[in-house]
Amino acid sequence: MAKKELLKVEGLKQYFPIKGGFLGRTVNHVKALDGISFTVYEGETVSIVGESGCGKSTTGRAILRLEEPTEGSVTFQGTDLTKISTREMRKFRKDLQIIFQDPYASINPRQTVASLLNEAMHIQNVLPANERRARIEELLETVGLRPYQADRYPHEFSGGQRQRIGIARALSVDPKLIICDEAVSALDVSIQAQVLNLLEELQDEYGLTYLFISHDLGVVRHISDRIIVMYLGKIVEIADKTSLFENPQHPYTKALLSAIPVPDPDAVKNRIVLKGDVPSPIDPPAGCRFHTRCPFATDKCRTEEPLLRTTSAMKGEHEAACHYIEEIAAGTMIEK
Amino acid sequence: MNEMENILVVNNLQTTFKTDAGDIRAVDGVSFTVPKGKTIGIVGESGSGKSITSLTILRLLASNGRVNGGEVLFKGKDLLKLPEKAMREIRGNQISMIFQEPMTSLNPVYTVGQQIGETIQIHKKVGKKEAIQQSIEMLKLVGIPSPEKRVKQYPHELSGGMRQRVMIAMALACDPEILIADEPTTALDVTIQAQILELIKDLQNRLGMSVIMITHDLGVVAETCDYVAVMYAGQVVEYSDVRSLFKNPKHPYTLGLLNSLPRHDIEQEKLIPIKGMVPSPHEMPVGCRFAPRCPVATELCHNKMPQLLNTNDSNAEQIRCWMFSDEWDGDSEVTLYGEKRTIKG
Amino acid sequence: MTKYIIRRLLQTIPVLLGVSILVFSLMFLIPGDPAQVMAGEGASAQTVENLREKLGLNDPAYVQYGRYLSSALQGDLGNSIRSGRPVMEEIQTRFWVTLEVAIYSTILAVFIGLIAGIISAVRHYTLTDVSIMIIALFGLSMPNFWLGLLLIQWFALGNLPFDIPFPEFLKMRPSGWGDTWRQMVLPVITLGTGGAAIIARMTRSSMLEVIGQDYIRTARAKGVSERVVIYRHALKNALIPVVTIIGLEFGGFLGGAVLTETIFAINGMGRLTIDAIRQRDFPVVQGTVLVISLLFVVVNLLVDISYKFLNKRIDLN
């Protein structure tokens, strides 16, 4: 089966200016995203993982132009979203929806669920007004709520239910791609599992594509087809799910995976505990951005930026950005 | 288990909060023991009462909270009956606590040294200079680089991981016998979480204290705890050693929790969620609190609350479930989250 | 720090320039010709014209403004039309009186306001809290002139509605402002009451917010006594918004409490301003407005600097 490109991100940069000085000039930039490229194919789930400040949420927001990206292109079904006018962009918002961590924050508390969904459909002109009520009730059933709950207010729902409302709102305009920005992170495990299952069912039913942004690698392994690992505004590794979890190549990915506590007291642990904190994205380290915390870093790492590449030991479209993939795999690198 | 080995025994603790919508029984019959030098985990989802339990132990409840019953025996004496002054001498000294949000748990207007030093000054009755000196030692102990410089810094100048280290330094400054860690790594990134958990474990080995680890993360429990109390809706539903909890979970809720957890270390086909949601604290079920969500709940479960009882297997294991009692009125074989179970009854 | 103060001082220049332009244009905005006013009702057109020429009122506005500004910078705000004395001199004598009242009133307001606010916050939702807040609401809504008159009736004239002995030293004449501190008591109480009420309310809400913070729980978990929790850990954080209010109050007092000064016959800035307005003494009006604005700017600067001492997170640069 040939894969069809849905979204292609190329060289995306997002610099946020830091104002300062006497006249409030721009004195520096937070380099939240510093040139990332990836492709999302139709019907798949691509996850972006990383720790706070790695730029994963910024990526989602830049794709939707919630913040105008500094540089690079975002091609959605052949159209570069960064080049079109805000007016034209509005039409694309129908195809590109986003679900946030806290749906409550993005919902007007004085609006009933029905009017919220109705508004979303009205803006995108999805259905004639007289057919919308039926559609709203259908949507609520789809996301596991009851049709009679349509006339309730957001505060009458629990966290998990609000997330279902968020999903219903996204679905109401028949989107092609849904960006889930930490969409299940705030939920308790038992509720999180319900919502994850729902997302999977909806994907099968409507052929949705997900760009799933999360810091939880358990969730990511469960839901993704492919995974992008980010560190300080750069992609360090990109691979299909199995390769990433079974055969990680980048030292950061390895450390990240080994750092997650395993819910099994008998699990064999080879934990790599990274030293120190993530450096500031204002003045990211030169060369490889991970070199300040990498146990293998050499002078080359400190000066020369590694590019995403693949080796014979990596299957499929697996790529990692490290100078010493082969050496580390062979065990010839000296660990500090 | 020998009574003397248990440094803390919590018996049938009851905590209520007054709210506009009526009283909430946030903690309703919580019992567990903390063996000396061991780590006990209290695990549960939001609203399970795990944090309130820890605040009740130290008597740090908000003004609308009240302890209605039970006892907290610390080395034999009931903390709930101590006068406030005696309680203050225990807080931060014999039992200390660290919290979830390192960002907001330190006072923004005092330096790190002033804040650690304050604990030392109160409990060790030493002067300011000596207190600062000891603060530097503590910062060194928790692995903060250049402690002489850090001691003069304000919390906002430190990263989240550093601040949690400062909190730990403050908590351990007086060599406590119990450290209560309330979601100590929830707000931190996973690589920093690994550092902090390793630090706590390392310090525990060196200083020989007991740890009460309050968390919602079953991975953290598996890695750090010796014993676990699983809480649901204000009650302990299962108490056992960590191995049996993960290898042979008994309570349907524990089993459900483990089955809903997406794992990064193994490939899972489909998650089996627990249906429904936690009951509202204002409308607690009369019977077993998990009954409305339990796949095998019977008449009995819905109408009568089960007690936390020792199982037949071992007396270190306690379950709050009718399935493990002689009164069980359901089938002798049930299917729980895809697993077949034979009930002894 | 010094750099910050210098920068802040430089930043006040445009503010003061703006104020001076506003003040200067007052002269053009209000009906009536200043020369006419100076010359008097019955003056001939020729006299007025001569006066206009002499005062430079026939020059273009920007020339007049330039002249006004350059002399203002040299401390010359012109002469009072009414008394003929330099405006600067008029303001100086009145300023010290107002300053004294303002300082004492602020001290009183801060003292009572802080204590009441803290007690209220610590015992929130109790009878004590409710009583303090009701009293504060009274203090806030009571007009100054009314309270002033009441105090004069009771204490100065001795017409107490109840029969209690009260200290002899409070018995004083309502008029005839002297320089003994005793005569300050009533005006200071009058002004301080409103200020205390505002500060009490602000302190209470600020304290309540801080008491709910995580670091207060941390302090308690350390074994710190409740007293120390309140005074050492909570108050310092809670003071930040309170300081702003104190600054505004003090600035307001400095600007002259017109009604209070009138009632107690205090020859302060407030009365100077009101009298000047009444008598169309434009140079004095301009001068007082300019000086009051300057004082406000200075007080605000002091407030901002005090932030730095209270809140370590604020980076002044």
Side-chain angles (χ1 to χ4, degrees):
Chain A
M1 191 182 75
K3 290 193 287 184
K4 221 172 121 197
E5 255 179 41
L6 185 70
L7 180 82
K8 195 178 173 82
V9 172
E10 278 173 301
L12 194 64
K13 286 188 184 180
Q14 183 68 274
Y15 290 1
F16 297 109
I18 303 166
K19 305 276 184 199
F22 187 46
L23 299 167
R25 280 162 308 167
T26 302
V27 289
N28 213 331
H29 287 96
V30 175
K31 295 176 177 127
L33 275 185
D34 208 1
I36 64 162
S37 307
F38 61 89
T39 309
V40 178
Y41 300 101
E42 221 159 74
E44 69 168 350
T45 300
V46 174
S47 288
I48 306 181
V49 299
E51 298 178 284
S52 38
C54 73
K56 55 188 191 298
S57 287
T58 312
T59 308
R61 302 181 65 86
I63 290 171
L64 287 177
R65 281 176 64 188
L66 296 178
E67 271 123 25
E68 292 294 333
T70 313
E71 218 182 289
S73 68
V74 176
T75 313
F76 181 77
Q77 291 191 313
T79 313
D80 185 351
L81 299 182
T82 61
K83 300 280 189 301
I84 59 177
S85 71
T86 342
R87 243 183 105 87
E88 285 174 288
M89 185 63 204
R90 214 168 294 151
K91 277 183 242 150
F92 278 96
R93 296 210 189 279
K94 179 185 166 306
D95 293 332
L96 296 146
Q97 285 287 309
I98 186 162
I99 307 171
F100 294 106
Q101 173 169 3
D102 178 13
Y104 200 50
S106 57
I107 292 177
N108 178 354
R110 295 179 186 279
Q111 230 176 349
T112 62
V113 172
S115 82
L116 181 84
L117 298 181
N118 186 50
E119 187 184 76
M121 290 193 266
H122 171 75
I123 291 169
Q124 291 299 344
N125 205 7
V126 187
L127 271 181
N130 57 358
E131 288 171 35
R132 281 189 207 139
R133 180 69 198 196
R135 174 73 178 139
I136 287 167
E137 294 185 354
E138 190 188 311
L139 276 168
L140 289 183
E141 283 202 301
T142 309
V143 298
L145 295 170
R146 300 283 160 77
Y148 68 81
Q149 291 174 311
D151 297 309
R152 296 207 173 158
Y153 290 91
H155 70 87
E156 297 176 64
F157 293 91
S158 70
Q161 289 177 322
R162 280 183 208 146
Q163 202 51 284
R164 289 171 191 268
I165 296 169
I167 295 170
R169 177 164 69 169
L171 283 179
S172 69
V173 296
D174 293 325
K176 295 200 171 70
L177 176 76
I178 299 183
I179 298 178
C180 304
D181 188 355
E182 300 279 10
V184 298
S185 303
L187 304 176
D188 275 320
V189 176
S190 67
I191 306 298
Q192 176 179 281
Q194 296 172 359
V195 175
L196 284 175
N197 283 352
L198 172 66
L199 287 173
E200 285 181 318
E201 286 158 23
L202 294 174
Q203 182 164 43
D204 291 344
E205 203 176 324
Y206 298 101
L208 293 168
T209 307
Y210 292 134
L211 183 61
F212 203 88
I213 296 162
S214 177
H215 70 280
D216 185 330
L217 282 128
V219 169
V220 163
R221 176 164 199 171
H222 184 76
I223 200 151
S224 319
D225 298 307
R226 287 190 304 128
I227 295 159
I228 295 166
V229 183
M230 288 187 67
Y231 185 79
L232 263 182
K234 294 267 186 196
I235 293 176
V236 296
E237 189 157 359
I238 179 165
D240 64 275
K241 169 169 73 178
T242 317
S243 303
L244 192 98
F245 282 97
E246 303 298 339
N247 188 24
Q249 296 297 319
H250 197 283
Y252 176 66
T253 313
K254 288 181 188 174
L256 190 65
L257 290 176
S258 81
I260 309 161
V262 181
D264 177 357
D266 292 341
V268 192
K269 288 160 216 157
N270 290 314
R271 174 151 301 161
I272 309 160
V273 177
L274 292 177
K275 299 271 175 287
D277 289 311
V278 180
S280 157
I282 297 171
D283 277 307
C288 173
R289 298 201 167 175
F290 184 57
H291 83 245
T292 54
R293 300 173 80 197
C294 182
F296 303 108
T298 66
D299 283 340
K300 185 178 177 187
C301 301
R302 282 181 269 275
T303 50
E304 202 175 305
E305 190 179 322
L307 299 175
L308 280 171
R309 65 195 179 95
T310 187
T311 70
S312 55
M314 292 151 78
K315 273 183 279 183
E317 290 178 41
H318 189 172
E319 288 181 306
C322 173
H323 294 304
Y324 298 108
I325 301 173
E326 295 86 348
E327 289 84 345
I328 293 170
T332 54
M333 286 297 285
I334 303 147
E335 209 174 319
K336 276 169 290 196
Chain B
M1 206 183 300
N2 185 349
E3 265 312 299
M4 282 313 288
E5 288 173 28
N6 290 327
I7 187 144
L8 191 82
V9 179
V10 175
N11 268 331
N12 197 24
L13 201 62
Q14 319 247 352
T15 307
T16 322
F17 282 91
K18 262 194 172 43
T19 70
D20 293 339
D23 286 5
I24 289 176
R25 305 175 89 175
V27 172
D28 195 5
V30 165
S31 309
F32 60 87
T33 51
V34 182
K36 197 168 166 36
K38 300 285 185 193
T39 300
I40 159 170
I42 302 181
V43 65
E45 298 179 285
S46 38
S48 63
K50 54 191 192 303
S51 286
I52 302 297
T53 301
S54 65
L55 292 174
T56 309
I57 293 172
L58 273 183
R59 287 172 42 190
L60 289 171
L61 292 171
S63 55
N64 62 337
R66 158 170 287 136
V67 185
N68 288 37
E71 47 184 16
V72 176
L73 300 172
F74 173 63
K75 296 202 281 189
K77 65 183 171 221
D78 190 352
L79 296 185
L80 300 179
K81 294 207 174 71
L82 283 186
E84 177 58 26
K85 191 166 180 298
M87 193 62 217
R88 276 208 304 269
E89 277 159 25
I90 287 178
R91 285 186 206 128
N93 190 19
Q94 288 165 290
I95 306 178
S96 49
M97 188 158 177
I98 57 174
F99 301 95
Q100 176 172 358
E101 291 292 339
M103 291 305 183
T104 52
S105 291
L106 289 166
N107 196 327
V109 302
Y110 294 108
T111 63
V112 164
Q114 284 169 329
Q115 296 190 55
I116 303 174
E118 187 180 29
T119 313
I120 299 170
Q121 272 179 287
I122 295 171
H123 297 297
K124 291 191 181 169
K125 316 275 184 249
V126 298
K128 215 173 206 158
K129 252 198 176 144
E130 172 63 23
I132 294 290
Q133 207 48 49
Q134 289 188 22
S135 305
I136 295 174
E137 288 306 311
M138 287 313 297
L139 290 180
K140 223 178 273 173
L141 184 74
V142 297
I144 289 184
S146 47
E148 290 85 0
K149 197 181 107 204
R150 295 289 185 189
V151 82
K152 293 189 198 111
Q153 284 184 325
Y154 289 92
H156 74 270
E157 296 172 82
L158 308 175
S159 67
M162 283 290 175
R163 286 188 215 187
Q164 199 57 293
R165 281 174 194 265
V166 169
M167 283 297 289
I168 294 171
M170 201 155 80
L172 301 187
C174 296
D175 214 349
E177 290 172 76
I178 301 176
L179 172 70
I180 303 176
D182 186 358
E183 302 265 10
T185 56
T186 305
L188 303 173
D189 275 322
V190 36
T191 59
I192 308 298
Q193 163 170 286
Q195 295 173 357
I196 297 293
L197 291 180
E198 182 148 298
L199 174 71
I200 293 176
K201 221 190 285 179
D202 175 54
L203 292 173
Q204 181 179 21
N205 289 339
R206 276 203 266 171
L207 309 174
M209 64 194 173
S210 307
V211 175
I212 301 177
M213 179 70 73
I214 292 154
T215 180
H216 70 281
D217 187 330
L218 287 159
V220 171
V221 171
E223 292 217 344
T224 60
C225 301
D226 301 300
Y227 299 91
V228 192
V230 180
M231 281 188 73
Y232 183 79
Q235 300 180 322
V236 173
V237 294
E238 181 159 0
Y239 178 86
S240 76
D241 71 278
V242 72
R243 236 184 138 263
S244 11
L245 189 94
F246 283 94
K247 295 297 165 192
N248 187 15
K250 294 212 166 52
H251 196 283
Y253 174 65
T254 315
L255 194 65
L257 210 53
L258 287 166
N259 274 301
S260 349
L261 186 67
R263 304 265 299 253
H264 77 281
D265 58 321
I266 50 168
E267 203 58 54
Q268 293 154 292
E269 255 320 297
K270 196 153 175 69
L271 301 175
I272 310 168
I274 303 172
K275 64 173 188 194
M277 52 190 180
V278 181
S280 148
H282 296 290
E283 300 157 39
M284 281 295 178
V286 282
C288 171
R289 292 190 171 171
F290 188 59
R293 303 177 74 186
C294 183
V296 297
T298 63
E299 223 16 66
L300 176 68
C301 303
H302 284 290
N303 294 322
K304 202 170 155 200
M305 187 190 288
Q307 297 304 305
L308 186 64
L309 296 171
N310 292 340
T311 60
N312 303 336
D313 306 15
S314 123
N315 60 358
E317 203 171 63
Q318 295 176 309
I319 310 289
R320 190 190 285 274
C321 178
W322 286 121
M323 270 202 291
F324 298 87
S325 84
D326 299 333
E327 287 172 66
W328 173 245
D329 61 343
D331 299 337
S332 58
E333 206 177 76
V334 295
T335 309
L336 260 176
Y337 303 104
E339 274 178 49
K340 268 210 183 349
R341 286 268 182 114
T342 311
I343 316 288
K344 286 175 196 162
Chain C
M1 192 71 193
T2 335
K3 235 172 90 186
Y4 171 74
I5 295 171
I6 291 170
R7 174 140 43 85
R8 275 300 305 264
L9 283 173
L10 288 175
Q11 279 169 348
T12 62
I13 292 174
V15 175
L16 289 175
L17 270 180
V19 171
S20 72
I21 290 173
L22 214 66
V23 159
F24 180 75
S25 31
L26 267 181
M27 242 173 28
F28 295 90
L29 291 175
I30 37 181
D33 181 352
Q36 181 74 62
V37 177
M38 270 181 95
E41 288 288 314
S44 70
Q46 187 55 45
T47 324
V48 174
E49 190 46 43
N50 287 344
L51 199 57
R52 286 188 68 87
E53 196 55 47
K54 195 180 139 210
L55 290 173
L57 291 176
N58 289 331
D59 295 335
Y62 67 88
V63 175
Q64 289 190 47
Y65 175 69
R67 197 158 50 217
Y68 169 73
L69 192 65
S70 84
S71 44
L73 285 175
Q74 293 161 41
D76 177 11
L77 293 171
N79 292 332
S80 161
I81 296 173
R82 192 169 46 91
S83 69
R85 291 169 61 205
V87 171
M88 211 54 190
E89 222 171 83
E90 292 262 355
I91 289 177
Q92 260 173 23
T93 48
R94 308 296 187 93
F95 174 72
W96 296 113
V97 178
T98 295
L99 182 68
E100 211 172 336
V101 178
I103 289 175
Y104 293 142
S105 303
T106 307
I107 290 172
L108 182 78
V110 169
F111 186 72
I112 295 176
L114 275 186
I115 290 178
I118 293 168
I119 292 173
S120 230
V122 172
R123 313 210 168 151
H124 67 126
Y125 302 138
T126 62
L127 192 65
T128 325
D129 173 32
V130 174
S131 322
I132 290 177
M133 281 306 113
I134 288 174
I135 295 170
L137 198 65
F138 258 112
L140 204 65
S141 36
M142 200 156 35
N144 274 347
F145 68 88
W146 185 74
L147 178 64
L149 289 173
L150 210 65
L151 290 174
I152 289 173
Q153 276 292 322
W154 288 356
F155 297 107
L157 301 177
N159 296 332
L160 283 171
F162 36 81
D163 191 22
I164 50 151
F166 75 89
E168 196 58 30
F169 72 87
L170 274 171
K171 280 189 181 152
M172 57 187 124
R173 297 185 56 77
S175 60
W177 181 257
D179 50 8
T180 60
W181 66 270
R182 279 190 281 138
Q183 279 156 314
M184 286 237 197
V185 173
L186 294 186
V188 163
I189 291 175
T190 308
L191 279 179
T193 304
I198 294 172
I199 292 170
R201 287 163 60 96
M202 193 69 207
T203 308
R204 176 181 183 268
S205 67
S206 180
M207 279 293 278
L208 281 181
E209 200 192 314
V210 169
I211 286 172
Q213 295 292 315
D214 288 347
Y215 53 81
I216 297 299
R217 187 183 54 188
T218 306
R220 291 194 176 121
K222 279 157 77 171
V224 172
S225 71
E226 202 52 32
R227 236 189 121 71
V228 179
V229 168
I230 297 301
Y231 289 99
R232 203 177 123 81
H233 289 269
L235 188 59
K236 200 170 170 189
N237 283 287
L239 273 182
I240 295 162
V242 177
V243 165
T244 316
I245 295 290
I246 296 174
L248 284 175
E249 286 291 305
F250 183 62
F253 293 156
L254 276 184
V258 174
L259 289 170
T260 312
E261 290 192 355
T262 310
I263 287 167
F264 290 97
I266 302 168
N267 277 323
M269 293 283 284
R271 266 189 83 192
L272 180 67
T273 316
I274 204 81
D275 288 347
I277 292 171
R278 215 181 280 143
Q279 294 160 348
R280 300 199 168 230
D281 196 344
F282 299 126
V284 176
V285 176
Q286 287 176 332
T288 49
V289 172
L290 203 62
V291 169
I292 289 168
S293 317
L294 179 70
L295 288 172
F296 250 102
V297 168
V298 171
V299 169
N300 266 317
L301 178 64
L302 290 176
V303 166
D304 284 359
I305 292 169
S306 68
Y307 275 3
K308 179 69 194 168
F309 290 102
L310 288 170
N311 190 350
K312 309 299 173 186
R313 278 167 301 188
I314 290 180
D315 181 10
L316 290 181
N317 295 316

